[in-house]
Amino acid sequence: MADERPVAGPRARHRHEEDFPIEWERDHYVTRREFAKFLTLGSGLLAAANVLMAIVGRLWRPAAPVAARIGRSADVPPGGSMLFRYPTPEDPCIVLREGTGELRAYSQICTHLSCAVVHRPDRDELFCPCHRGSFSTTEGRPTAGPPTRRLPRIRLEERGGEIFAVGVEA
Amino acid sequence: METHRQGTTLFTGICVLIGLLVVIQLWLVAACLDALRAGETGVLAAAAAASLVILAVNAGLLLYIVAFDARLRHTQRPPRE
């Protein structure tokens, strides 16, 4: 059985603390060199993350979306809009017809925090009710509120009274 | 002691500078993530290059700290009898 009696002296300690000294204060002390090394290691990791994203951006090419029928031209009158999903069922979109008769379609996902935008024909804008952001109907660019990126545009074709979505512009 | 005090000030300043550069790198990573999500890949290479330059600067500052500290400790060591 180990001798656990306190050791006499200026700092009464048990014998096992004499045999296995651990200086907790010194152990937790971080020198400036160690702090600088830690920061430089973090800097290295961040640089590696940036390089990785550059490589992914160069190599990653999303598959070309297939053309899909989304509705009849008559379903979208001037000043009106219609919802559809393209290129996948998880991608909500909105098509609207301008007063000039031109069709425009955008992703319905707000570029701020992914709420669904709605068409406001009275103000001729796409409006996000979550944080009161708005986008222009002509280019999808943000005109007010917190969004900073424009809505992805859906390329359309009208063939024989039918509307087809044929691609997505980033 | 004057050299020791100057060394303390210098070390602190360099640590602050490294910290600021790391914060800038953090901003670069966040901006690149946003650009990648938006499909704008044109800025990614430039941001990666800028981040690597910042890493080189940080590594240089760290090497300077280590060398300066070693030199300081060597000059303050009592001479051998």
Side-chain angles (χ1 to χ4, degrees):
Chain A
M1 190 72 167
D3 188 351
E4 294 294 332
R5 289 174 298 175
V7 176
R11 295 177 60 187
R13 299 164 67 182
H14 291 94
R15 193 164 297 280
H16 72 271
E17 291 176 327
E18 289 283 339
D19 294 335
F20 304 100
I22 298 176
E23 299 178 38
W24 289 107
E25 287 183 8
R26 188 177 174 184
D27 195 52
H28 291 151
Y29 180 72
V30 177
T31 64
R32 284 169 304 207
R33 265 196 297 181
E34 288 169 353
F35 182 65
K37 285 178 188 175
F38 172 75
L39 283 180
T40 307
L41 176 64
S43 175
L45 291 174
L46 292 172
N50 263 319
V51 169
L52 185 64
M53 279 191 283
I55 293 172
V56 167
R58 183 162 290 274
L59 296 179
W60 176 60
R61 289 286 182 266
V66 180
R69 177 188 175 277
I70 62 175
R72 299 181 305 161
S73 299
D75 293 336
V76 189
S81 61
M82 182 179 70
L83 301 181
F84 65 100
R85 291 182 178 266
Y86 180 81
T88 70
E90 286 77 36
D91 299 310
C93 302
I94 183 169
V95 57
L96 52 96
R97 193 180 294 274
E98 304 262 30
T100 56
E102 190 172 356
L103 271 178
R104 299 190 190 276
Y106 302 97
S107 169
Q108 202 187 6
I109 301 173
C110 179
T111 55
H112 177 228
L113 289 178
S114 304
C115 288
V117 300
V118 296
H119 182 220
R120 275 188 172 178
D122 53 331
R123 296 194 176 191
D124 197 25
E125 67 178 11
L126 291 164
F127 179 73
C128 177
C130 287
H131 303 100
R132 309 189 68 79
S134 60
F135 302 84
S136 78
T137 57
T138 51
E139 294 178 333
R141 293 196 176 278
T143 55
T148 56
R149 289 180 284 118
R150 65 181 183 89
L151 292 171
R153 186 167 179 171
I154 312 297
R155 285 186 283 117
L156 302 175
E157 286 181 4
E158 284 189 273
R159 308 172 201 162
E162 306 280 327
I163 306 174
F164 291 84
V166 296
V168 181
E169 292 177 8
Chain B
M1 289 305 294
E2 186 60 33
T3 304
H4 187 268
R5 196 176 300 122
Q6 288 172 342
T8 299
T9 305
L10 181 64
F11 277 25
T12 305
I14 290 178
C15 283
V16 168
L17 182 58
I18 293 177
L20 285 174
L21 291 173
V22 169
V23 168
I24 293 174
Q25 276 189 296
L26 264 173
W27 173 80
L28 277 174
V29 169
C32 284
L33 273 172
D34 203 38
L36 189 61
R37 191 164 168 265
E40 298 168 4
T41 57
V43 299
L44 297 180
S51 195
L52 286 172
V53 167
I54 292 176
L55 173 63
V57 170
N58 282 339
L61 289 172
L62 176 66
L63 286 173
Y64 179 77
I65 283 180
V66 170
F68 189 92
D69 191 39
R71 204 163 51 242
L72 196 64
R73 288 173 190 274
H74 179 72
T75 56
Q76 288 184 344
R77 190 178 304 157
R80 291 182 182 178
E81 295 180 2

